[in-house]
Amino acid sequence: QDKKKVLPALASLYGKEAAADAAKEIEAVQAEWRWRWTLKSLFTSRTALALQDELLAAYQDDGFQAACERLSQSWESQPSLTLEQKMRAIEVLCMDHALSRILPNFGFSPD
């Protein structure tokens, strides 16, 4: 209902093209939300196990293992890094090498 109020205001201020662009963006956001909600509602224990299997395979992959080793070695030259900084680096590594690729397959955002 807010859309019915906002879009005419946009049209009067910025033109019909801006209002049409905004309407498309709103529809796209709503469609994505509906899609993700549907996927999440279908997320069963079997789906959770499939997610875990895919993550485990990604973490056992030689490329991920090599990236872990490089990260660990990089810390040797940076002894002043805090535990929090190291944990953040691990989170980024996991996100870049596995999570951002696998999570969208199960209806979750890649971040």
Side-chain angles (χ1 to χ4, degrees), residues 71-85:
L71 180 61
S72 179
Q73 289 174 355
S74 75
W75 292 338
E76 293 174 11
S77 64
Q78 302 175 44
S80 63
L81 286 177
T82 66
L83 177 61
E84 290 171 352
Q85 290 170 316

Side-chain angles (χ1 to χ4, degrees), residues 20 102-103:
I102 294 170
L103 289 177

